[in-house]
Amino acid sequence: MWKTSGGGVQDARGCQTIILLTDLAFMIKFKLFFICCLILLFGTAQSQRPVKPNANEIYDAVQKLNVLGTVLYIAAHPDDENTRMISYFANKRKVRTAYLSLTRGDGGQNLIGTEIWEKLGLIRTNELLMARSVDGGNQFFSRANDFGYSKHPDETLAFWNKEEVMHDIIKVMREFRPDIVVNRFDHRRAGRTHGHHTSSAILSVEACDIAGDPASYAERLGHLEPWQPQRVFFNTGWWFYGGRDRFREADKSNLYTLDAGVYYPTKGLSNNEIAALSRSMHKSQGFGSTGTRGREIEYLELVKGNSPNVKDDPLSGIDCTWARVEGGRQVQVKIDALIQDYNFAEPSKNIQALVDIHKAIQDISDKHWREIKLREVEDIILASTGLFLEAVVNKETAVRGEDLNIQFEMINRSGRKATVDHISLVDNEDVLDIDKDLFENERVITEYTLSIPEDHPLSNPYWLNEKGTLGMYSVPDEQLIGKPVSDAIYTAQFHLNIEGLPVVVSRDLIYKTNSPVDGEVYKPFYIVPAASVSFSDPIYIFPDQDSKEIGVNLKAYRDSLKGRLEIAHPESWQIRPTSVAIDMERKGEEQNITFSISGPGGASSDEFTVHLILEDGTKLDQKVNHINYDHIPSQVLLASAKAKFERLNIKTQGKKIAYLQGAGDDIPQNLRQIGYEVDEVGVSDLTSENLKSYDALVMGIRAYNTKRELFLKKKVLDEYMQGGGTVVVQYNTSRRIKGDDIAPYPMELSRDRVTDELAEVRFEIPDHEVLNYPNKITAKDFEGWVQERGLYFPNNWSDEYSAPLSCNDKGEPSRLGGLLIAEVGKGHFIYTGYSWFRQLPAGVPGAFRLFANLLSIGKNAEIKNSASESGQDE
């Protein structure tokens, strides 16, 4: 229920939250373009800082109001999209433009943190939303899961449910109704590129054939009108021809073109510069891009459909004017007149013309375009009045049953007549009667208190609420399929009247605070469990029966939290104490509770769950994960409070390890689990004196890709190995790196990879030290691997290296470069492309045993001598 707590009129101060186009020209004017762009962009996705459109942006929106065309770009992953193309259609041609990414990029690598799998997918989802906020496009997704690199569409579609993904594509096509579809990839290149890439094009082409058939998917999509795109293009380029020279010489008579390098005077930017800013939102993939100026020709191959009338206009022959709908010409006349007489100095003086246009659009019989254009013109009217509406809550998170204070701010920054009748919340029966005139530049603030129902859903990405399969998310609610993110927890609807025109404006409830450094800070509002419960680590390795001290982390999200903490576990494990009483007084309080756990006598792999049982019997068993990066809105993700416990027969040699992080991974903590003392070091710590105290130095994934100063340490590392140290270098991409730069002897990095995690691993040198000491490695150690065997294997190396293992994907030659070992003086150099950064965090026993052998190389003399004397080596 609503509880009144105050109201009144205060000085004008606030932010307009209508988003039309980013005010890039203004930013350039003040020579703070890039910084300001990032700041303003926070307002364009998920309740972050609002953007206030200026007269130029409103004018651009009026021009867009006069265009009735739609383009859908389709590919497989976040970052596959051509941002130049999306920006061109959205900003130059002003047609509705969207990117459909079939996956959320869960299976990729992360260059800005340690998040992988579903957490990385959540980051990349929001990076795509931020990219679209820059280039002006919309964003859609299917339920397909990025399960990792795939070499053939047959493999991809064996994991993806083809019929379900096809359903999702057709749903988007019928809802968005594109005139043309542009595929990033070629549906005819099976086996020559990423299987996800080719699959996206194959499914797109097939979907375009059947989206217009009313009998197709009638049971689930029958409520949507069939829609047939007029053209399907493949967005080709020199890279599909094997190089710029080949493309320059190729016959392009069958290709259509467009110049994506156009300049926008009202923005002060070229299309390429906007595209670069959009591309640079893909920070987790390291895709920062420098903007360019000048001509930039994009090439399109017509895959099916009618041919454009003009070679350099892929939309030619498609009516994108109001003439495409019955009765539309009278609307176009009115918009043309407004464009001709648009008042830049005082946009509010355009409102009467906009109201007339609104009334004319209401008479259009085409429901699809009527609804789209009514929303557009209402946004323009709101922007022209400078009307600011906001619904701010007093806390970033709340729990069920908690009272939530909401402050509604309303201000009309023009002389036009505006009133607010009432405010309602979506999915809430309460109505707040306001009935106020909004006088020019007088701020109205009304505060209310809402009691959150005990059965209100918790905040979580909708596609992660239910367990899916390796290749598909589970989304039972048909209405959610295709949406980029979950709907806001609560949305306020302001019921207004502007110059006699009834308008309903929606604003998500947001949390706003002031930072001494950043000033005004906006964050999404989330509803979370009463407490976050989790183990301190996701996996625990017990190399023997000795007990370990295991931490359980608690964080209260409400005051007065009382109950008992218990761990559900198999009887073969011993846990003390059996339960712990919990009494946390204040919201935000954190505790770490320690349990003593000892494993069974033999090898065992089990999953434990920790529960907090409250006094009323409520059981809490979820961890509240917060993901915070400056370039995307803050995120909350709920995860089960589980951990993997492995009783593992493993031996180690050496003790102290230096670990230099690259792109970021969790391996240091994984190595601590098996008894290693691990220090995380920086490049500046790599001195001859410092390295003397370490048995091995391990480079994190892509260390040489992300830390260019590391190349200057080659001499120091050579000295370390000459003196008996071991250097382990995990995979790096070959981009701008020569193998000789990172290794003591010649080798060449490649893009070779083995994507089948079940691929047979063969022992090419069975008696090699790393396969025998201190742990005897067998085929069983390669069972249970996840996502892949490895990636970016070297494909050529000098005789100084030995390659004890090989594996390959089906139908491919043997790949020996996954593990290369060379003696360097008294020490060793190891280059490994096997994906330890996935296997160790997943608790794969054999991966731990083999990695321990890598760290133990050169330190097994005593064990080897003992084995030789007892005849075990024979």
Side-chain angles (χ1 to χ4, degrees):
M1 62 180 294
W2 293 95
K3 304 174 186 176
T4 303
S5 61
V9 178
Q10 302 181 15
D11 292 337
R13 174 183 159 210
C15 302
Q16 169 59 279
T17 56
I18 302 161
I19 301 155
L20 300 175
L21 292 171
T22 310
D23 188 6
L24 299 174
F26 175 85
M27 291 179 258
I28 285 182
K29 178 180 178 181
F30 284 92
K31 300 181 180 180
L32 292 172
F33 164 69
F34 188 70
I35 295 174
C36 291
C37 178
L38 294 181
I39 292 173
L40 291 180
L41 286 176
F42 289 154
T44 60
Q46 282 196 300
S47 304
Q48 293 289 90
R49 181 183 300 277
V51 176
K52 301 94 172 178
N54 60 28
N56 277 342
E57 293 169 336
I58 298 171
Y59 179 70
D60 282 342
V62 172
Q63 290 182 310
K64 191 178 183 74
L65 187 63
N66 221 10
V67 181
L68 283 71
T70 309
V71 174
L72 180 63
Y73 201 93
I74 298 180
H77 310 105
D79 90 339
D80 284 344
E81 80 277 22
N82 184 340
T83 55
R84 286 192 302 269
M85 188 79 76
I86 292 174
S87 180
Y88 172 85
F89 282 119
N91 295 296
K92 174 62 177 177
R93 304 304 303 272
K94 301 189 184 303
V95 296
R96 297 171 68 239
T97 308
Y99 175 43
L100 169 57
S101 176
L102 297 192
T103 77
R104 297 175 184 269
D106 302 54
Q109 289 86 51
N110 184 359
L111 289 184
I112 60 174
T114 61
E115 297 90 353
I116 55 177
W117 290 306
E118 70 278 356
K119 292 181 183 178
L120 179 59
L122 183 57
I123 291 171
R124 292 190 173 179
T125 292
N126 283 275
E127 287 179 336
L128 271 181
L129 286 173
M130 296 307 293
R132 297 295 78 76
S133 73
V134 176
D135 58 39
N138 297 309
Q139 184 62 52
F140 300 108
F141 291 94
S142 84
R143 288 169 292 164
N145 192 1
D146 178 5
F147 56 84
Y149 193 90
S150 171
K151 294 182 177 179
H152 198 280
D154 290 347
E155 178 192 19
T156 298
L157 297 176
F159 288 100
W160 292 355
N161 184 320
K162 181 179 178 180
E163 288 302 308
E164 291 299 291
V165 179
M166 184 72 76
H167 159 278
D168 297 356
I169 298 173
I170 292 173
K171 181 174 186 285
V172 171
M173 286 184 177
R174 289 182 178 177
E175 289 179 338
F176 196 61
R177 301 176 73 175
D179 296 305
I180 67 173
V181 170
V182 181
N183 291 328
R184 184 53 176 161
F185 301 104
D186 189 347
H187 65 291
R188 301 156 297 193
R189 293 175 63 88
R192 289 184 284 172
T193 185
H194 197 323
H196 296 183
H197 292 170
T198 310
S199 294
S200 71
I202 290 173
L203 294 173
S204 172
V205 171
E206 291 185 17
C208 288
D209 284 338
I210 61 178
D213 179 7
S216 296
Y217 294 89
E219 183 176 347
R220 292 171 61 186
L221 297 177
H223 62 288
L224 297 174
E225 291 186 16
W227 181 256
Q228 185 73 54
Q230 296 191 42
R231 296 166 188 156
V232 183
F233 291 102
F234 160 44
N235 182 195
T236 190
W238 61 264
W239 48 93
F240 291 105
Y241 285 73
R244 296 181 187 274
D245 291 340
R246 290 185 179 181
F247 185 60
R248 194 176 296 113
E249 298 171 0
D251 178 12
K252 304 183 188 64
S253 59
N254 64 327
L255 302 183
Y256 296 85
T257 63
L258 58 86
D259 180 6
V262 294
Y263 175 69
Y264 304 119
T266 59
K267 303 178 190 300
L269 290 171
S270 71
N271 190 72
N272 293 341
E273 288 171 315
I274 294 175
L277 289 169
S278 173
R279 187 74 169 170
S280 296
M281 288 295 107
H282 295 297
K283 298 185 186 304
S284 67
Q285 305 189 66
F287 282 156
S289 181
T290 300
T292 61
R293 291 140 296 279
R295 288 170 58 85
E296 185 73 47
I297 303 301
E298 289 286 346
Y299 295 88
L300 295 167
E301 178 185 348
L302 183 66
V303 173
K304 60 176 50 185
N306 56 55
S307 300
N309 298 336
V310 182
K311 269 288 188 178
D312 61 357
D313 183 3
L315 284 168
S316 60
I318 298 174
D319 191 350
C320 293
T321 72
W322 278 98
R324 74 182 296 168
V325 299
E326 185 178 353
R329 292 190 181 277
Q330 61 180 345
V331 178
Q332 184 162 343
V333 169
K334 293 178 180 296
I335 298 175
D336 286 343
L338 175 57
I339 292 173
Q340 179 69 32
D341 300 329
Y342 181 81
N343 191 318
F344 284 89
E346 295 185 60
S348 63
K349 292 189 175 179
N350 303 312
I351 289 179
Q352 187 56 57
L354 289 165
V355 170
D356 292 343
I357 291 170
H358 188 281
K359 292 177 180 178
I361 294 174
Q362 287 179 316
D363 294 333
I364 297 299
S365 59
D366 188 303
K367 181 181 178 181
H368 173 74
W369 282 110
R370 182 177 70 241
E371 292 181 355
I372 290 171
K373 293 302 178 180
L374 282 176
R375 287 196 301 269
E376 287 184 14
V377 73
E378 286 170 4
D379 284 346
I380 297 170
I381 291 171
L382 291 168
S384 298
T385 64
L387 190 64
F388 177 81
L389 305 167
E390 190 170 73
V392 176
V393 297
N394 62 330
K395 56 194 74 177
E396 186 177 355
T397 62
V399 302
R400 293 161 169 164
E402 187 173 356
D403 284 349
L404 183 68
N405 179 267
I406 309 172
Q407 177 179 280
F408 297 99
E409 178 180 346
M410 298 153 279
I411 184 169
N412 173 14
R413 292 176 288 187
S414 75
R416 312 304 297 190
K417 184 177 180 181
T419 61
V420 55
D421 181 69
H422 64 277
I423 303 172
S424 60
L425 285 183
V426 176
D427 298 327
N428 188 284
E429 296 180 357
D430 294 319
V431 174
L432 294 86
D433 291 321
I434 306 297
D435 193 21
K436 284 183 178 291
D437 290 326
L438 298 178
F439 297 107
E440 183 175 3
N441 223 26
E442 291 186 359
R443 187 169 69 155
V444 175
I445 289 184
T446 304
E447 294 186 350
Y448 289 90
T449 300
L450 170 70
S451 293
I452 300 173
E454 292 286 353
D455 60 352
H456 197 288
L458 298 174
S459 299
N460 203 43
Y462 74 83
W463 61 96
L464 298 176
N465 280 329
E466 295 196 7
K467 185 176 178 59
T469 65
L470 179 63
M472 295 291 294
Y473 297 115
S474 176
V475 182
D477 188 347
E478 181 80 20
Q479 297 302 312
L480 293 175
I481 294 173
K483 286 188 174 184
V485 291
S486 302
D487 292 333
I489 290 297
Y490 281 111
T491 298
Q493 291 187 329
F494 296 79
H495 296 257
L496 309 168
N497 189 290
I498 301 173
E499 292 289 345
L501 178 68
V503 179
V504 178
V505 181
S506 295
R507 291 290 180 265
D508 294 342
L509 266 61
I510 57 174
Y511 171 68
K512 183 170 69 172
T513 187
N514 184 75
S515 163
V517 175
D518 298 321
E520 192 175 49
V521 175
Y522 286 77
K523 291 185 178 182
F525 165 68
Y526 295 111
I527 295 180
V528 296
S532 174
V533 187
S534 65
F535 289 100
S536 297
D537 291 299
I539 65 164
Y540 293 93
I541 306 296
F542 288 72
D544 49 44
Q545 288 181 270
D546 293 345
S547 63
K548 276 191 174 186
E549 300 296 301
I550 302 300
V552 172
N553 298 327
L554 295 177
K555 181 174 181 178
Y557 282 92
R558 75 168 202 206
D559 293 338
S560 186
L561 194 73
K562 297 181 180 181
R564 69 182 189 276
L565 193 66
E566 297 180 350
I567 297 178
H569 64 282
E571 293 182 358
S572 57
W573 294 78
Q574 301 298 315
I575 298 183
R576 294 183 181 82
T578 56
S579 68
V580 176
I582 300 298
D583 187 353
M584 303 174 77
E585 295 183 1
R586 301 294 298 275
K587 177 178 180 177
E589 183 179 344
E590 297 185 45
Q591 289 186 12
N592 184 273
I593 310 300
T594 300
F595 290 84
S596 178
I597 301 181
S598 56
S604 180
S605 178
D606 297 288
E607 190 173 69
F608 292 14
T609 303
V610 60
H611 307 279
L612 176 60
I613 304 171
L614 302 183
E615 289 181 320
D616 63 1
T618 301
K619 182 185 289 185
L620 303 178
D621 56 4
Q622 288 180 302
K623 178 182 180 181
V624 181
N625 293 282
H626 291 268
I627 298 176
N628 293 295
Y629 288 100
D630 289 342
H631 67 296
I632 61 174
S634 59
Q635 302 295 310
V636 161
L637 182 151
L638 303 181
S640 178
K642 297 180 183 294
K644 190 173 183 180
F645 283 71
E646 292 277 355
R647 170 65 177 93
L648 176 61
N649 293 320
I650 187 171
K651 299 175 182 177
T652 61
Q653 293 292 318
K655 184 67 176 177
K656 196 170 182 181
I657 307 298
Y659 200 94
L660 179 73
Q661 283 283 8
D665 56 62
D666 288 327
I667 291 179
Q669 182 57 21
N670 301 145
L671 296 181
R672 295 182 184 109
Q673 290 283 348
I674 58 175
Y676 281 106
E677 180 184 341
V678 183
D679 291 338
E680 295 191 53
V681 300
V683 176
S684 61
D685 298 316
L686 302 184
T687 65
S688 297
E689 187 62 30
N690 287 345
L691 290 175
K692 287 180 182 178
S693 62
Y694 295 105
D695 296 298
L697 167 64
V698 182
M699 307 288 191
I701 59 173
R702 299 180 73 168
Y704 282 93
N705 293 127
T706 59
K707 292 179 169 58
R708 307 300 293 181
E709 66 272 25
L710 190 53
F711 291 103
L712 303 176
K713 295 293 182 177
K714 192 171 190 295
K715 182 178 180 181
V716 172
L717 299 183
D718 285 343
E719 290 177 356
Y720 172 63
M721 290 183 286
Q722 289 286 345
T726 297
V727 173
V728 179
V729 176
Q730 297 181 78
Y731 91 93
N732 285 265
T733 65
S734 56
R735 187 181 180 188
R736 296 192 298 271
I737 290 181
K738 295 181 179 179
D740 295 5
D741 293 335
I742 65 176
Y745 307 117
M747 72 172 185
E748 295 178 11
L749 301 178
S750 76
R751 298 183 64 84
D752 290 350
R753 61 202 303 162
V754 179
T755 62
D756 184 359
E757 65 271 24
L758 304 178
E760 177 191 4
V761 178
R762 296 173 292 274
F763 293 17
E764 300 292 342
I765 311 176
D767 60 349
H768 197 286
E769 183 177 353
V770 298
L771 301 181
N772 293 278
Y773 303 102
N775 303 289
K776 179 67 175 178
I777 304 302
T778 69
K780 185 175 178 61
D781 290 299
F782 292 95
E783 296 177 0
W785 282 47
V786 296
Q787 185 162 319
E788 63 204 353
R789 288 296 188 200
L791 61 171
Y792 297 104
F793 291 1
N795 62 358
N796 196 12
W797 52 87
S798 67
D799 293 339
E800 285 85 357
Y801 295 98
S802 58
L805 298 174
S806 70
C807 57
N808 58 273
D809 284 320
K810 184 178 180 180
E812 293 191 354
S814 179
R815 308 293 187 192
L816 284 157
L819 180 60
L820 298 180
I821 302 170
E823 293 184 7
V824 184
K826 297 178 182 179
H828 294 81
F829 173 83
I830 299 173
Y831 184 90
T832 175
Y834 286 101
S835 57
W836 311 106
F837 75 105
R838 297 195 190 279
Q839 313 313 321
L840 299 188
V844 178
F848 275 93
R849 286 164 46 83
L850 182 51
F851 204 88
N853 281 14
L854 299 183
L855 300 178
S856 301
I857 193 169
K859 305 171 184 65
N860 296 301
E862 185 176 337
I863 300 176
K864 293 166 71 175
N865 290 336
S866 175
S868 179
E869 291 171 3
S870 64
Q872 293 179 17
D873 277 350
E874 296 178 2

